[in-house]
């Protein structure tokens, strides 16, 4: 069975994209077949994986124009890692899809056409609009990335309320698979926020806490795979550990 993770947090800049991309690389390098779906009009994961933003068929065409998702899937430079690219016109999706029948289920339907992946990772925008709701409906589990900065937990109640409403109204299980704490700079503040996150989420918090590490940002900006670009960096080591934890939680080994 394909495990479909939606990486969601309505707060901006909390490392949804970075975690999606590095999990994608890490899982693919562990021999898994991985599909990243970029549902954010900012197209950051598309750029990070492909280095360009001029794809002929994008998620917009799949969701709005009825294109086949298989026609949108692009290979990345990493063996086993594929991408459904985003594009800037996806920023109009909320408006364009507002009156479409079954608008919450467009991505679910599209994903029914793909079966040959072990993991699908859905990167989402920093809001709870129709694209994030599509990600919630299409996923088997949610991964919540959290930045260990001030206010980290404030937006979480909105996220949790939205997820609870979907569970009740649209009849989806929507379990939280795990919570990734990121941007740890070992200050008093991040240590305090980490304690609060651990208290709130308990066992759901992954043991691997990702440090703030310039190599992570550099790899992302240079369209490079962190595990090749800076394999011994604190960021790569922490992400490697996270990949192992994800596989262990998902597959039980
Ligand atoms: N471990 C890290 N160390 C240093 N910088 C990081 C780390 N992880 C992410 N960043 C940087 O933090 C910024 C925000 O990360 P990212 O774009 O992944 O967040 P996001 O949640 O996807 O943002 P948005 O809500 O805008 O989509 C980026 O510039 C990224 O390169
Ligand atoms: Mg992002």
């Amino acid at each position: 069975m394909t495990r479909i993770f939606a990486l969601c947090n309505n707060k901006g800049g909390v490392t949804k994209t970075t975690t999606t991309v590095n999990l994608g690389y890490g899982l693919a390098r562990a021999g898994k077949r991985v599909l990243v779906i970029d549902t954010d009009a900012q197209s950051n994961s598309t750029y990070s994986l492909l280095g360009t933003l001029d794809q002929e068929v994008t998620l917009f065409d799949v969701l709005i124009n009825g294109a086949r998702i298989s026609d949108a899937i692009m290979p990345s430079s990493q063996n086993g890692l594929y991408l459904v690219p985003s594009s800037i016109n996806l920023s109009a999706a909320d408006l364009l899809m507002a009156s479409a029948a079954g608008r919450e289920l467009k991505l679910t339907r599209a994903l029914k056409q793909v079966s040959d992946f072990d993991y699908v990772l859905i990167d989402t925008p920093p809001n709870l609009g129709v694209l994030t709701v599509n990600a919630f409906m299409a996923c088997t589990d949610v991964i919540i990335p959290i930045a260990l900065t001030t206010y980290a937990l404030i937006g979480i109640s909105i996220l949790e309320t939205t997820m609870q409403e979907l569970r009740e109204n649209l009849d989806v299980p929507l379990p939280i698979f795990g919570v990734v704490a990121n941007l740890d700079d070992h200050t008093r503040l991040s240590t305090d926020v980490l304690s609060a996150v651990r208290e709130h989420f308990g066992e759901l918090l992954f043991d691997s806490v990702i440090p703030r590490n310039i190599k992570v940002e550099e790899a992302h900006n240079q369209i490079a795979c962190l595990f090749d670009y800076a394999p011994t960096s604190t960021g790569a080591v922490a992400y490697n550990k996270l990949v192992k934890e994800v596989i262990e939680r998902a597959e039980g080994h």
Side-chain angles (χ1 to χ4, degrees):
M1 193 191 94
T2 307
R3 217 52 192 257
I4 306 175
F5 295 132
L7 284 92
C8 295
N9 188 329
N10 42 303
K11 194 166 149 64
V14 298
T15 79
K16 294 179 288 293
T17 299
T18 308
T19 299
T20 302
V21 168
N22 287 318
L23 268 184
Y25 275 121
L27 289 167
R29 290 162 76 100
K32 313 294 177 187
R33 280 181 62 84
V34 185
L35 178 64
V36 167
I37 300 185
D38 188 357
T39 69
D40 185 1
Q42 296 181 98
S43 309
N44 292 340
S45 48
T46 300
Y47 192 73
S48 179
L49 286 171
L50 299 184
T52 60
L53 293 179
D54 52 3
Q55 305 312 313
E56 231 164 77
V57 185
T58 66
L59 185 65
F60 181 88
D61 302 299
V62 173
L63 297 180
I64 313 286
N65 298 331
R68 288 155 47 96
I69 195 166
S70 53
D71 291 333
I73 295 175
M74 298 284 303
S76 75
S77 57
Q78 168 68 51
N79 229 333
L81 179 60
Y82 297 80
L83 171 80
V84 174
S86 176
S87 51
I88 186 68
N89 50 3
L90 211 53
S91 54
D94 276 270
L95 272 177
L96 292 170
M97 289 165 77
S99 60
R103 63 181 177 278
E104 296 94 354
L105 295 172
K106 297 274 182 197
L107 186 56
T108 307
R109 297 227 164 86
L111 274 176
K112 288 225 169 10
Q113 300 163 24
V114 301
S115 57
D116 49 349
F117 290 97
D118 300 305
Y119 292 93
V120 175
L121 306 174
I122 310 176
D123 185 18
T124 64
N127 60 55
L128 295 168
V130 71
L131 292 164
T132 301
V133 171
N134 264 270
F136 281 140
M137 296 306 291
C139 74
T140 56
D141 311 77
V142 176
I143 292 178
I144 304 178
I146 290 186
L148 297 179
T149 54
T150 326
Y151 311 128
L153 281 172
I154 286 182
I156 291 293
S157 61
I158 305 167
L159 178 66
E160 290 180 320
T161 306
T162 304
M163 287 173 61
Q164 191 52 30
E165 281 172 9
L166 291 175
R167 289 186 190 110
E168 287 166 12
N169 298 327
L170 294 170
D171 209 23
V172 279
L174 210 57
I176 297 175
F177 179 79
V179 173
V180 183
N182 204 328
L183 297 180
D184 182 9
D185 45 20
H186 307 288
T187 56
R188 174 75 192 273
L189 174 70
S190 49
T191 308
D192 285 352
V193 176
L194 181 61
S195 303
V197 169
R198 187 171 283 127
E199 184 149 322
H200 187 83
F201 287 106
E203 296 265 281
L204 288 175
L205 180 67
F206 287 107
D207 289 338
S208 180
V209 172
I210 315 293
R212 188 187 292 275
N213 173 212
I214 189 67
K215 297 294 176 196
V216 175
E217 185 150 25
E218 283 175 11
H220 188 70
N221 290 337
Q222 297 187 24
I223 329 297
C225 167
L226 174 65
F227 305 112
D228 286 329
Y229 179 79
T232 58
S233 63
T234 54
V237 169
Y239 266 117
N240 251 322
K241 191 173 158 204
L242 179 68
V243 170
K244 290 205 177 78
E245 276 188 83
V246 166
I247 293 174
E248 202 174 290
R249 255 186 221 192
E251 304 176 23
H253 60 83

